[in-house]
Amino acid sequence: MSLIGRLKQSLPPGLKSRLRETRHRLGTLRNKARGYLGRPNVYQLGTPERVGIVFDNPSEMNVSERLFLYSLIRGTRPHRVLEIGSRHGGSASIIAAALEDIDPRHPGRVFGVDPGPEITVPERKFFGRFELIVEPSPQGITTARQKAGGPFDFALVDGLHIYSQVKQDLLGVLPHMADESYILLHDAFHYGLSKAISEVVATESRLFDCGYPCGKPWMEHPLLAYGGLRMLRFSERAVTDPQRFIEREAELLHKAAPPIDDDLADHDPFWHCRAIEPCAYCRKTGQGKAAPKT
Ligand SMILES: C[S@@+](CC[C@H](N)C(=O)[O-])C[C@H]1O[C@@H](n2cnc3c(N)ncnc32)[C@H](O)[C@@H]1O
């Protein structure tokens, strides 16, 4: 028997369990310290989580709208983003930070169309991902599309806030949108804007109105409400097929994509089949209770 084995055997039983408990506590403390020290500093441009950009930002959007914009960009992973109305560069810098946070190797870029920009956001906050086209919408959209090299998979419409212009913006954007893309419109609680959006949606079968995911109107004017993000989905079909996303990720990770198999529809080895009961697939394949998630 080794020296450590002999030492362990010679310990009184109470001391042994106290030592085990102490080791467990130290492990927990070490993991907590690692988590704390490993936390990203969201305000530093050099760290991989730059969501803090939503707070120190000259955009006229409120914080929940900025967070939604950041999350939607980060989640939908667009390659070509169109922005109508850039002003100080606030929303463009949020988009650029979200694109950078997807992965510094992600090729996503944002193309701003604005006839009178007053960019105050420093260049470094765009991560080389922002290009400005100093032209009005809708004419500037064609230039943006040429520079982008393909259709847009995301558009933010936040230019001139009147019915007739937003209708032109939206109609101008549509021929340049990729299938399964998103359009966000800011200040869509202005009744004129809301009317323009609804009218365009009514005439375009590929547009699906997702309503107001950011639903706080700005009420400081006696005649008009502003604020709010209205979201549109531009797609040939109403339902999205998850297969395309999964296969693309499998290719990226050099892995086989999970099979499409109806027998797996009730299979969930991480919770249901382990903690509640084995599904038909588990019983058929003799798996019984699956291994816990590691
Ligand atoms: C509300 S600001 C944009 C704010 C910006 N999206 C942000 O959140 O940081 C509106 C901008 O739209 C621009 N604009 C006005 N008419 C326009 C047009 N026809 N096409 C594109 N932009 C326009 C203005 O010059 C102004 O800079």
Side-chain angles (χ1 to χ4, degrees):
M1 191 186 282
S2 71
L3 182 64
I4 295 200
R6 281 207 299 277
L7 255 171
K8 273 186 180 170
Q9 261 199 347
S10 65
L11 291 173
L15 184 61
K16 244 185 190 172
S17 69
R18 277 209 302 281
L19 278 175
R20 213 177 297 125
E21 205 176 296
T22 308
R23 205 173 59 188
H24 176 74
R25 282 210 184 126
L26 282 174
T28 314
L29 265 175
R30 190 189 55 212
N31 288 344
K32 272 193 181 163
R34 269 191 194 150
Y36 183 81
L37 294 172
R39 280 186 320 176
N41 181 340
V42 296
Y43 297 106
Q44 267 182 20
L45 293 185
T47 62
E49 299 287 343
R50 300 159 184 94
V51 66
I53 199 151
V54 303
F55 299 107
D56 173 22
N57 194 286
S59 171
E60 282 154 34
M61 292 185 187
N62 66 34
V63 171
S64 57
E65 291 161 357
R66 296 174 191 182
L67 281 167
F68 186 78
L69 174 65
Y70 173 92
S71 306
L72 199 60
I73 292 285
R74 183 121 178 223
T76 57
R77 303 154 75 97
H79 285 212
R80 287 180 282 267
V81 180
L82 172 69
E83 177 180 75
I84 296 182
S86 298
R87 193 152 191 205
H88 299 303
S91 48
S93 64
I94 293 171
I95 295 169
L99 291 170
E100 186 74 9
D101 285 353
I102 291 167
D103 189 316
R105 293 163 301 182
H106 181 76
R109 301 196 71 214
V110 49
F111 298 85
V113 172
D114 194 317
E118 309 157 76
I119 305 295
T120 56
V121 170
E123 192 65 34
R124 66 196 161 85
K125 292 198 176 176
F126 296 116
F127 306 95
R129 294 176 181 274
F130 178 47
E131 191 165 341
L132 194 56
I133 292 109
V134 186
E135 288 179 42
S137 161
Q139 299 91 312
I141 300 172
T142 318
T143 318
R145 158 83 181 251
Q146 280 160 2
K147 286 186 183 280
F152 297 103
D153 28 27
F154 197 104
L156 171 65
V157 180
D158 191 16
L160 204 54
H161 293 130
I162 56 171
Y163 163 82
S164 48
Q165 180 62 43
V166 168
K167 199 159 179 183
Q168 282 191 59
D169 290 343
L170 202 44
L171 289 171
V173 159
L174 291 182
H176 302 289
M177 294 308 293
D179 188 27
E180 303 209 357
S181 54
Y182 291 93
I183 304 173
L184 272 189
L185 299 108
H186 188 230
D187 283 320
F189 280 122
H190 182 301
Y191 283 134
L193 272 61
S194 153
K195 179 172 157 184
I197 299 165
S198 299
E199 283 179 9
V200 178
V201 169
T203 56
E204 173 55 69
S205 62
R206 290 171 297 173
L207 272 183
F208 296 90
D209 195 340
C210 310
Y212 290 93
C214 290
K216 184 173 165 49
W218 185 83
M219 307 284 285
E220 301 302 312
H221 192 279
L223 298 179
L224 297 163
Y226 285 85
L229 282 173
R230 177 108 160 241
M231 184 162 98
L232 306 178
R233 168 91 165 144
F234 182 76
S235 173
E236 295 288 346
R237 297 164 297 280
V239 180
T240 292
D241 177 4
Q243 195 185 352
R244 204 168 46 82
F245 291 83
I246 293 168
E247 284 178 353
R248 205 166 51 191
E249 193 66 7
E251 203 181 308
L252 193 82
L253 301 174
H254 303 291
K255 277 182 159 184
I260 298 173
D261 182 346
D262 269 349
D263 282 358
L264 292 168
D266 273 337
H267 188 47
D268 169 25
F270 297 122
W271 185 255
H272 176 269
C273 305
R274 177 174 62 84
I276 300 173
E277 58 171 348
C279 71
Y281 174 82
C282 292
R283 290 196 297 273
K284 191 170 95 185
T285 54
Q287 286 186 22
K289 293 204 170 189
K293 187 177 185 178
T294 50

